[in-house]
Amino acid sequence: RDHELFAEYKLLCNNVPSGVYVVPSFKSLQVWHGMIFIKIGMFADGCFKFNLYIPDNFPYARPSLRFVTPVFHPQIKASGELNLAKAFPTWTPRKDRIWHLLRYTKRCFFSINTFDATNPEAAEAVHKSIDTFRNRAKLCVERSIKMNITEESDLTPADDGNVFNVSPLPSIELEKIKEKLLSGVKAPFCSSLVRRALKTLT
């Protein structure tokens, strides 16, 4: 099974969808931590953490995916579990791949499909008022940014090797980076995500 997982991860590295990042857990090869960055659409600027769980009988069974960051979506349960049965009713070994699953996961943020919804509240919001759903999506985006900076989750413990668990910078360090950004000097580790985070905290 480990050989299958290594092969899957290598395929993922070569075919990973843009804006999707995945790293295996230190504790188990059957748990992969990930994050999706959304640039456009109703969930634009969101950065959503998830865990991918690979069953013991993989590749003969479908993995499952659960968002750590709350996402209000017809195909995502309140618990964070993504409905994969819709896109992958069966899982064919060495034909269906984990990168296919992640590609579908990202597409869900752009295609708000209510057919066979697993979150009735979100599906109802889409049908009754798309503006209401858009506002709920915006709240998810805002919370995703704040959670990634200020909160930890029991689903991703600090000793699990999850590189997506980050701690807020001390005020002094934050001010130094802000000064460098404003002066045009490149500060270490200042990506577009950090810039959005600084804007949110200001």
Side-chain angles (χ1 to χ4, degrees):
R1 186 186 61 216
D2 286 354
H3 174 75
E4 291 282 353
L5 293 179
F6 281 123
E8 279 290 333
Y9 194 73
K10 183 176 181 180
L11 281 172
L12 172 62
C13 291
N14 293 329
N15 297 281
V16 64
S18 63
V20 179
Y21 301 87
V22 183
V23 178
S25 162
F26 279 173
K27 290 185 175 181
S28 172
L29 280 175
Q30 291 177 247
V31 179
W32 295 3
H33 303 302
M35 183 175 278
I36 296 180
F37 295 87
I38 304 298
K39 295 182 179 180
I40 60 174
M42 287 186 278
F43 292 91
D45 294 327
C47 37
F48 303 96
K49 292 180 183 178
F50 64 87
N51 289 331
L52 182 74
Y53 301 99
I54 302 170
D56 291 337
N57 55 342
F58 183 84
Y60 301 98
R62 180 184 65 232
S64 61
L65 188 146
R66 182 178 177 183
F67 282 95
V68 178
T69 313
V71 185
F72 187 68
H73 190 286
Q75 300 300 333
I76 300 174
K77 295 180 180 179
S79 64
E81 183 182 355
L82 175 64
N83 179 14
L84 294 172
K86 179 178 175 59
F88 303 94
T90 59
W91 188 266
T92 305
R94 301 172 190 85
K95 177 181 178 183
D96 293 319
R97 297 293 187 178
I98 289 177
W99 71 268
H100 297 155
L101 185 153
L102 294 175
R103 181 177 60 185
Y104 169 75
T105 301
K106 185 178 180 182
R107 285 177 178 174
C108 284
F109 286 94
F110 309 110
S111 176
I112 313 301
N113 193 332
T114 60
F115 185 72
D116 287 340
T118 55
N119 187 330
E121 183 184 0
E124 184 178 7
V126 172
H127 290 302
K128 284 190 173 181
S129 172
I130 194 64
D131 287 335
T132 298
F133 180 81
R134 186 178 287 108
N135 289 335
R136 291 290 297 270
K138 185 177 180 181
L139 288 174
C140 287
V141 170
E142 293 173 355
R143 187 174 181 187
S144 77
I145 296 172
K146 291 180 180 179
M147 279 186 67
N148 289 330
I149 298 171
T150 61
E151 297 182 22
E152 292 185 359
S153 169
D154 293 337
L155 293 177
T156 54
D159 63 347
D160 199 24
N162 186 352
V163 297
F164 304 115
N165 278 343
V166 296
S167 300
L169 287 172
S171 298
I172 296 177
E173 294 299 321
L174 185 61
E175 287 302 320
K176 288 181 181 179
I177 292 177
K178 287 170 68 176
E179 288 176 7
K180 289 184 179 181
L181 286 173
L182 293 173
S183 65
V185 178
K186 291 184 179 180
F189 309 111
C190 283
S191 63
S192 60
L193 174 61
V194 176
R195 291 174 187 271
R196 286 205 300 268
L198 291 173
K199 183 178 179 182
T200 303
L201 293 174
T202 303

